[in-house]
Amino acid sequence: MNKAQLISKIAEDAGMQKKEIEKVINSFVNVVTDTLKSGEKIQMVGFGTFEVRERAERKGFNPSTKAEITIPASKAPVFKAGKGLKDAIN
């Protein structure tokens, strides 16, 4: 499902206009992005948690030259599904 299909499905389910739903989804994405940038996490009980995890610097290999390289430390956004979502899927 892509973004346009998601907007259509939510608009149909909520009985609202697609433009309104698009604004809400864009706002949701912006709030999640800004919150994760600030180092906080978002917990939605029954759905899941959005957070940022630190990845340490590590050694790797260039697959074409087999030379050893250093992969720099980074931050990665992570979503961990909650019990309610897991139960609904299973």
Side-chain angles (χ1 to χ4, degrees):
M1 177 180 288
N2 63 29
K3 186 176 178 180
Q5 292 168 329
L6 177 65
I7 290 169
S8 294
K9 184 74 173 167
I10 293 173
E12 179 183 316
D13 188 57
M16 297 172 68
Q17 292 183 4
K18 289 181 184 179
K19 287 186 178 189
E20 294 172 339
I21 299 301
E22 185 175 13
K23 286 180 185 178
V24 170
I25 289 176
N26 289 338
S27 178
F28 175 77
V29 170
N30 291 338
V31 168
V32 169
T33 302
D34 292 344
T35 302
L36 294 178
K37 277 184 183 178
S38 71
E40 298 177 57
K41 67 180 179 178
I42 299 173
Q43 291 181 295
M44 298 170 65
V45 176
F47 183 70
T49 304
F50 296 91
E51 63 183 332
V52 174
R53 292 195 183 148
E54 302 271 340
R55 290 186 179 168
E57 183 178 277
R58 62 191 195 275
K59 299 289 182 192
F61 292 93
N62 181 331
S64 62
T65 65
K66 308 290 187 217
E68 187 175 284
I69 58 172
T70 300
I71 301 168
S74 64
K75 296 178 182 179
V78 177
F79 175 76
K80 181 180 175 187
K83 185 176 180 348
L85 180 59
K86 288 179 187 177
D87 290 347
I89 292 172
N90 292 316

